[in-house]
Amino acid sequence: KLTGRTAATGTSMQPTAASFANSLAGRLLAAALAFALWGGWALLANWSSDPQHAMIAGLLQGTASALMTLVMAIAAKALFYRLPAGAARLLLPAVLIVSASFTLLYLVHSWHQTHALWQTIVPPTSLAFIYCLFLCLRLQREQLCNEAP
């Protein structure tokens, strides 16, 4: 979507926040922010045990969060359009995606023997669930707008 109008045609010229968020640059920015936020969180959550171990936990969490951020929107959209309308269409994509990401995080941090395992993975998992719900609600709203006469 574009905002702003040209005098001659009345067409839009500037990208909106929604179009930026769906662009490659927007997705890469979101992934970089996820890396910094959740990698930093894992570093802080594990710092008291051993700084070197905490650094590795931060890198693992940051990398996993960045990759999952890139995949999450694509997966939510794909699942959303394959499910029948209703509550399942809103909830099931979030439940499935977050279950898979939580399992991945649990396995990676267990393998690394992350000391503050639950403090490391519960906050990003909770926010991922909320984000997936938001994505599905946005998809539903877009679909309803497109179906309106």
Side-chain angles (χ1 to χ4, degrees), residues 33-90:
L33 291 172
F35 179 89
L37 175 67
W38 297 119
W41 169 254
L43 177 71
L44 290 174
N46 290 282
W47 191 260
S48 63
S49 61
D50 171 26
Q52 184 178 2
H53 207 77
M55 181 67 78
I56 296 169
L59 290 172
L60 286 172
Q61 182 63 47
T63 302
S65 294
L67 293 173
M68 285 187 279
T69 298
L70 290 172
V71 172
M72 197 177 300
I74 296 166
K77 189 173 184 178
L79 288 169
F80 179 85
Y81 287 117
R82 284 173 177 71
L83 294 169
R89 186 178 228 184
L90 293 175

Side-chain angles (χ1 to χ4, degrees), residues 1-3 25 44 48 58 62 67 78 88 90 95 105-106 127-129 145:
K1 286 185 171 181
L2 300 175
T3 60
L44 290 174
S48 63
L67 293 173
L90 293 175
V95 170
L105 289 175
Y106 180 82
L127 192 62
F129 185 76
C145 288

